[in-house]
């Protein structure tokens, strides 16, 4: 692998990995005074505009090592003031250049004097505290300002690598964050650790142990712990580093590690882009990859043995059911044949996914071959006895929300209709596969409340179909004998939505009318607060706007937007968003035809809210969940209320409208990938709701 880096002496080094660059490249380098070092077998020269221009010119196949420099611990200890100032100057120039490249709004000097003082403080702290480190340990190198691959401004202060460990060291000029409960610095340390564990390819491939510490350099600082992060000071820094290095060896693959790529764990829209633009399945978790491989194996077996099979895939919110389903469609259709189709009754989801595919593909029919609205599929194949779809594999999204007979307006349910279509497919092709993606606790429409029982009834009527199902659903499918195959690889137990951080357990305790307890909700929030997931609560929209402005600066690629319940009260929403119009034809709510644009960028304008109708099955980095007065705390209990609630109850739209309202908030509170803001209007009836979230220990904006 060809790489370049900048040394502590402010030189550029280019390593062609044993290969000889062609004459044109060598001439360009020599003209910029980049010379060959025959001893080290690298090209090197001064770090200036001319040499950087040459590197940029030849770096099409050059892997850029993004860090300021690396220094041996012993060199820092032995350095005089002049050398320290030189290093600070190099750090300043490097960060200025990185910030300018990543964000056009940063120009010239973006590094503050306080940051320069912080770097000097870091060097002096390391020199003073590690002077008694054993000589062999002083040979280890510290890496400064390494840019985590694939991020914008994510740079741990210092990294220390061994052959088995990655140690992240975050330096702060503070006394004791654990005493004043300063969670921002701790969250930063946690975020770097989680990122390295989940996204750094070499770290993952080599199974390196990742550690993260917060170091307070103030002379009066004291050691401690906050949210499971060890806080070090002068009293124990050397001791901890010596203990971490005990029995370790110098990292033998440091250059490989520094030039590592990011292991992609994309959100759904990014995953679609990777599949259809780059022609490959993006990285998914080992659990989901195993599930996908098994599903493809079952499909292949059904083709060979001429079988009819139903596969039910179950999982927690954000576990990647949609990603598995879309991956099956891509794999089965990638040779140009329409073998599989993704069906969804969620119109906004269909719109957003088709919008994303159409932006990428050069075939106007690509998106409709990959994903179809269930309403169109039913018109074409449920109600026309002779019509047979081109695809043999039908993937049904949100299988738990399948319509019953009354909602469908027929003498059969949606699952029964799919089985009937499957019979027609089998008659033509001697193979039929239905895959149901089944989520728990997310029923939000009328006619969807029977769940797995509809699939059970359909299986009993079609006695030559096999079902592959995880144990959790298998217990609800009875009297079909050997046709039921239990396979727990069809269960996805871990949320991928926020770097494997599962918010669903906290959500279940926090908003459940029946099962949540104060003790349990506090425990689950405490677990979340030991991760990089930040959840804030506020009653002030100006605070929200200030926070997202910081997101735009520090995490410019993040998406954020306002989300509301289907039952939200306009009069309550207006107490935090004056003049807003929501609901049917409301100009501040996202409607059909607008979802694709909203989820791909317009959400950040904060001019429209997306209801549960539009956001189920989708996600953004930082949802702003607005409590609209339809689900409130009253007398230490959750109460569903409001005009829309009362109307639904009176007209008997649902069997259990209270559960439907609860499910709305279960969906809303599980959309986050990075952070979440709970926005509670200043209405007296919501005072107890606000106090409930504050008292459980949630961070206030």
């Amino acid at each position: 692998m060809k790489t370049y880096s900048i040394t502590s002496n402010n030189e550029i080094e280019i390593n062609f990995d044993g290969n000889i660059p062609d004459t044109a490249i060598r001439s360009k380098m020599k003209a910029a005074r980049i010379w060959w070092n025959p001893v080290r077998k690298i090209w090197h020269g001064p770090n200036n505009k001319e040499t950087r221009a040459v590197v940029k010119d030849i770096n099409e196949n050059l892997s850029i090592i993004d860090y300021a420099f690396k220094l041996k611990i012993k060199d820092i200890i032995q350095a005089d003031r002049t050398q320290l100032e030189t290093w600070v100057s190099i750090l300043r120039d490097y960060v200025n250049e990185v910030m300018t490249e990543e964000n056009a709004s940063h120009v010239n000097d973006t590094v503050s004097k306080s940051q320069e003082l912080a770097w000097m403080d870091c060097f002096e702290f390391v020199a003073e505290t590690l002077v008694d480190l054993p000589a062999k340990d002083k040979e280890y190198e510290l890496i400064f300002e390494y840019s985590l691959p694939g991020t914008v401004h994510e740079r741990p202060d210092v990294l220390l690598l061994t052959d088995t460990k990655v140690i992240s060291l975050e330096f702060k000029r503070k006394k004791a964050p654990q005493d004043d409960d300063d969670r921002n610095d701790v969250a930063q340390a946690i975020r770097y650790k989680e990122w390295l564990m989940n996204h750094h390819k070499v770290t993952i491939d080599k199974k390196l142990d990742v550690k993260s510490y917060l170091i307070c350099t103030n002379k009066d600082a004291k050691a401690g712990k906050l949210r499971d992060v060890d806080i070090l000071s002068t009293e124990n820094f050397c001791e901890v580093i010596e203990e971490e290095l005990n029995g370790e060896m110098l990292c033998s693959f440091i250059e490989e590690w520094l030039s590592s790529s990011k292991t992609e764990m994309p959100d759904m829209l990014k995953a679609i882009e990777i599949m259809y633009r780059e022609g490959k399945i993006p990285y998914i978790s080992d659990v989901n990859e195993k599930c996908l491989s098994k599903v493809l194996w079952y499909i292949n077996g059904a083709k060979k043995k001429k079988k009819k099979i139903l596969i039910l895939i179950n999982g927690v919110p954000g576990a990647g059911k949609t990603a598995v389903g879309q991956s099956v469609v891509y794999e089965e259709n990638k040779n140009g044949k329409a073998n599989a189709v993704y069906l969804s009754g969620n119109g906004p989801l269909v719109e957003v996914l088709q919008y994303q595919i159409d932006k990428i593909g050069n075939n106007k029919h690509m998106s409709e071959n990959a994903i179809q609205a269930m309403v169109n599929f039913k018109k074409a194949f449920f109600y026309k006895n002779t019509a047979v779809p081109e695809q043999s594999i039908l993937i049904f999204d949100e299988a738990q929300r399948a319509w019953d007979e009354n909602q469908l307006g027929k003498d059969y349910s949606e699952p029964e209709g799919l089985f009937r279509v499957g019979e027609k497919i089998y008659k033509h092709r001697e193979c039929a596969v239905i895959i149901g993606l089944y989520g728990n606790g997310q029923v939000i429409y009328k006619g969807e409340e029977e769940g797995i029982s509809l699939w059970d009834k359909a299986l009993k009527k079609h006695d030559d179909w096999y079902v592959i199902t995880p144990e959790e659903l298998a217990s609800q499918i009875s009297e079909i004998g050997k046709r039921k195959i239990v396979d727990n690889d069809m269960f996805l137990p871990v949320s991928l939505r926020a770097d494997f951080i599962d918010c669903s357990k906290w959500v279940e305790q926090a908003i459940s009318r029946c099962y949540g307890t104060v003790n349990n909700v506090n425990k689950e929030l405490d677990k979340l607060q030991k991760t990089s997931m930040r959840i804030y609560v506020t009653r002030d929209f100006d605070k929200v706007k200030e926070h997202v402005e910081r997101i735009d600066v520090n995490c410019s690629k993040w998406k954020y937007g306002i989300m509301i319940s289907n039952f939200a009260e306009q009069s309550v929403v207006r107490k935090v968003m004056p003049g807003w119009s929501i609901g049917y034809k409301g100009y501040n709510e996202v409607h059909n035809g607008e979802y694709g644009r909203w989820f791909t960028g317009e959400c950040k304008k904060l001019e429209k809210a997306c209801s549960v109708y539009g956001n189920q099955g989708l996600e953004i980095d930082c949802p702003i969940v607005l409590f609209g007065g339809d689900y409130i705390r009253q007398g230490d209990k959750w109460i569903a209320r409001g005009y829309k609630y009362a109307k639904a109850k009176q007209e008997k739209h649902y069997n259990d409208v209270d559960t439907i309202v609860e499910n709305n908030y279960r969906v809303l509170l599980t959309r986050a990938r990075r952070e979440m803001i709970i926005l509670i209007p200043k209405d007296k009836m919501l005072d107890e709701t606000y106090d409930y979230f504050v008292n459980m220990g949630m961070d206030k904006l």
Side-chain angles (χ1 to χ4, degrees):
M1 179 185 291
K2 308 181 192 72
T3 62
Y4 92 78
S5 60
I6 299 172
T7 72
S8 60
N9 294 322
N10 205 22
E11 277 201 339
I12 278 182
E13 292 186 349
I14 305 175
N15 186 345
F16 286 89
D17 198 24
N19 297 310
I20 300 173
D22 62 36
T23 304
I25 290 177
R26 292 202 305 274
S27 297
K28 286 180 181 179
M29 290 193 293
K30 289 176 181 178
R33 303 184 67 79
I34 300 174
W35 307 109
W36 172 245
N37 183 327
V39 177
R40 298 183 59 211
K41 299 188 183 307
I42 60 165
W43 292 79
H44 68 102
N47 176 23
N48 56 38
K49 287 184 179 180
E50 289 75 20
T51 54
R52 288 196 298 272
V54 171
V55 169
K56 191 172 184 179
D57 191 36
I58 65 175
N59 76 351
E60 183 178 347
N61 296 309
L62 196 65
S63 178
I64 302 170
I65 300 179
D66 284 326
Y67 63 96
F69 49 68
K70 55 184 188 292
L71 302 170
K72 288 187 176 182
I73 294 173
K74 70 176 184 182
D75 293 336
I76 298 175
I77 294 171
Q78 295 168 2
D80 58 20
R81 183 75 183 185
T82 302
Q83 179 62 73
L84 296 183
E85 289 173 351
T86 300
W87 288 336
V88 168
S89 177
I90 296 171
L91 285 167
R92 182 192 63 234
D93 292 345
Y94 170 76
V95 172
N96 276 334
E97 184 174 351
V98 170
M99 295 288 280
T100 302
E101 285 177 358
E102 295 288 4
N103 191 333
S105 65
H106 289 282
V107 292
N108 301 323
D109 288 344
T110 62
V111 173
S112 65
K113 287 294 180 185
S114 63
Q115 178 58 66
E116 292 184 31
L117 290 172
W119 282 323
M120 181 62 75
D121 193 58
C122 172
F123 287 130
E124 291 174 343
F125 181 87
V126 169
E128 291 170 8
T129 55
L130 298 187
V131 68
D132 294 326
L133 207 60
K136 65 179 181 60
D137 291 343
K138 292 177 183 176
E139 295 295 323
Y140 281 91
E141 291 180 308
L142 300 182
I143 302 155
F144 288 80
E145 297 292 336
Y146 172 72
S147 294
L148 301 177
T151 67
V152 181
H153 300 312
E154 299 284 15
R155 296 187 309 276
D157 288 343
V158 176
L159 291 167
L160 171 58
L161 301 184
T162 76
D163 246 15
T164 67
K165 292 179 182 178
V166 181
I167 303 168
S168 176
L169 305 172
E170 202 61 23
F171 289 83
K172 302 296 175 184
R173 302 168 71 195
K174 297 183 177 180
K175 291 183 181 179
Q178 67 272 27
D179 288 350
D180 57 16
D181 200 27
D182 187 341
R183 303 173 184 184
N184 290 324
D185 294 334
V186 167
Q188 188 179 33
I190 295 170
R191 186 170 69 251
Y192 292 152
K193 177 181 178 180
E194 289 175 350
W195 197 99
L196 289 164
M197 290 170 60
N198 297 322
H199 296 293
H200 195 277
K201 190 174 189 308
V202 175
T203 298
I204 294 168
D205 290 348
K206 293 186 179 294
K207 297 181 172 57
L208 302 181
D209 186 18
V210 181
K211 302 290 189 70
S212 186
Y213 293 99
L214 187 64
I215 298 95
C216 292
T217 61
N218 188 290
K219 62 183 179 63
D220 296 321
K222 56 183 181 180
K225 198 166 193 164
L226 179 61
R227 293 190 173 184
D228 254 16
V229 173
D230 286 313
I231 298 170
L232 311 182
S233 67
T234 53
E235 64 185 86
N236 67 339
F237 181 61
C238 184
E239 177 187 342
V240 169
I241 296 300
E242 185 175 352
E243 186 177 334
E244 287 286 7
L245 298 179
N246 184 34
E248 294 293 315
M249 297 177 63
L250 294 174
C251 184
S252 58
F253 48 86
I254 192 165
E255 300 303 329
E256 178 188 358
W257 192 93
L258 288 168
S259 58
S260 174
S261 60
K262 177 185 178 183
T263 297
E264 194 73 50
M265 179 65 76
D267 64 20
M268 175 46 54
L269 298 184
K270 182 64 177 176
I272 291 287
E273 181 178 344
I274 291 169
M275 280 190 273
Y276 289 92
R277 189 190 299 281
E278 301 179 19
K280 65 181 182 181
I281 296 288
Y283 173 77
I284 55 178
S285 75
D286 292 341
V287 172
N288 293 33
E289 189 174 16
K290 189 173 184 180
C291 176
L292 174 60
S293 297
K294 273 284 193 76
V295 169
L296 295 173
W297 182 77
Y298 283 125
I299 290 172
N300 192 46
K303 291 175 182 176
K304 288 181 177 179
K305 297 180 181 179
K306 301 179 180 179
K307 297 288 186 183
K308 308 171 190 176
I309 62 171
L310 166 67
I311 303 173
L312 293 174
I313 301 172
N314 190 19
V316 301
K321 298 182 290 294
T322 304
V324 170
Q326 282 292 323
S327 298
V328 171
V329 172
Y330 176 79
E331 281 291 316
E332 290 295 323
N333 295 357
K334 66 183 180 182
N335 293 324
K337 295 181 180 179
N339 293 326
V341 63
Y342 192 97
L343 304 172
S344 179
N346 184 342
L349 176 68
V350 173
E351 180 186 321
V352 173
L353 295 184
Q354 286 188 338
Y355 180 87
Q356 186 74 349
I357 294 170
D358 285 340
K359 279 203 315 179
I360 299 158
N362 52 18
N363 181 338
K364 66 180 181 179
H365 300 296
M366 185 183 291
S367 67
E368 62 191 54
N369 286 336
I371 179 168
Q372 292 179 23
M374 190 62 181
V375 63
N376 296 333
F377 185 84
K378 286 185 288 191
K379 285 178 183 177
F381 304 110
F382 273 34
Y383 314 141
K384 297 177 182 178
N385 291 332
T386 58
V388 181
E390 185 179 356
Q391 301 89 351
S392 301
I393 303 160
L394 310 179
I395 299 160
F396 185 55
D397 183 40
E398 305 288 0
Q400 78 281 2
R401 293 174 49 197
W403 283 6
D404 59 21
E405 293 87 345
N406 291 333
Q407 186 64 19
L408 192 61
K410 299 289 180 181
D411 60 354
Y412 58 88
S413 66
E414 273 188 338
E416 171 62 22
L418 285 169
F419 274 94
R420 292 183 182 186
V421 174
E423 298 287 5
K424 291 189 288 184
I425 291 170
Y426 187 83
K427 188 175 290 187
H428 278 70
R429 304 188 193 102
E430 296 186 313
C431 170
V433 178
I434 299 172
I435 299 173
L437 307 177
Y438 196 98
N440 296 324
Q442 297 185 49
V443 172
I444 60 170
Y445 286 91
K446 62 180 179 179
E448 299 177 344
E449 296 168 89
E450 288 198 48
I452 195 68
S453 65
L454 296 178
W455 296 93
D456 184 37
K457 290 174 188 174
L459 277 166
K460 286 182 171 65
K461 287 183 181 178
H462 299 266
D463 58 9
D464 56 348
W465 282 72
Y466 288 81
V467 59
I468 296 102
T469 174
E471 193 170 357
E472 185 170 320
L473 298 179
S475 60
Q476 301 173 62
I477 298 171
S478 60
E479 300 175 12
I480 61 170
K482 294 181 179 179
R483 293 194 292 128
K484 178 169 66 177
I485 300 166
V486 178
D487 186 342
N488 282 325
D489 288 334
M490 299 300 105
F491 179 68
L492 307 178
V494 179
S495 175
L496 311 180
R497 193 162 276 148
D499 282 348
F500 303 95
I501 300 168
D502 186 2
C503 288
S504 64
K505 293 177 182 177
W506 169 73
V507 172
E508 203 58 43
Q509 290 295 324
I511 57 105
S512 173
R513 291 172 297 120
C514 304
Y515 307 112
T517 67
V518 172
N519 187 45
N520 286 341
V521 75
N522 290 351
K523 281 183 181 177
E524 291 299 335
L525 181 62
D526 184 60
K527 290 178 186 175
L528 272 183
Q529 289 177 333
K530 292 173 181 175
T531 72
S532 62
M533 169 63 72
R534 305 298 302 278
I535 306 177
Y536 303 95
V537 63
T538 186
R539 308 191 83 168
D540 188 344
F541 188 57
D542 286 336
K543 297 283 188 185
V544 173
K545 289 189 286 187
E546 289 172 10
H547 186 78
V548 299
E549 283 175 6
R550 290 192 292 272
I551 288 177
D552 284 337
V553 172
N554 298 317
C555 308
S556 60
K557 293 182 181 179
W558 284 19
K559 293 184 177 67
Y560 50 80
I562 300 168
M563 295 185 171
I564 57 173
S565 160
N566 297 335
F567 294 83
E569 297 278 277
Q570 180 168 273
S571 60
V572 177
V573 170
R574 283 181 171 176
K575 292 188 176 180
V576 73
M577 312 294 287
W580 264 42
S581 171
I582 62 168
Y584 181 64
K585 293 188 177 180
Y587 50 80
N588 293 112
E589 187 169 328
V590 186
H591 298 294
N592 289 339
E594 301 173 339
Y595 293 107
R597 295 191 303 275
W598 192 86
F599 273 97
T600 54
E602 287 189 0
C603 54
K604 297 177 74 168
K605 294 180 180 179
L606 302 184
E607 295 173 350
K608 292 188 176 186
C610 185
S611 71
V612 170
Y613 287 133
N615 62 51
Q616 188 169 37
L618 292 161
E619 60 202 38
I620 57 176
D621 297 290
C622 180
I624 301 157
V625 179
L626 200 166
F627 271 65
D630 53 323
Y631 201 53
I632 68 172
R633 294 290 290 183
Q634 193 175 93
D636 294 329
K637 294 180 180 178
W638 283 108
I639 302 293
R641 61 161 304 282
Y643 170 75
K644 293 179 183 177
Y645 165 80
K647 184 179 180 183
K649 198 149 192 169
Q650 182 181 3
E651 296 178 0
K652 297 182 179 178
H653 284 170
Y654 307 94
N655 295 332
D656 183 357
V657 66
D658 294 85
T659 296
I660 298 296
V661 176
E662 178 184 318
N663 284 348
N664 267 251
Y665 282 89
R666 182 173 284 106
V667 171
L668 289 172
L669 295 171
T670 53
R671 299 303 96 195
R673 283 180 60 82
R674 311 290 179 189
E675 296 182 350
M676 176 163 52
I677 299 171
I678 296 175
L679 178 59
I680 299 178
K682 292 180 180 177
D683 186 303
K684 189 172 182 180
M685 72 173 172
L686 285 166
D687 288 352
E688 186 177 339
T689 306
Y690 176 73
D691 292 340
Y692 171 72
F693 286 115
V694 171
N695 292 338
M696 73 171 66
M698 189 170 290
D699 296 341
K700 291 188 286 185
L701 271 187

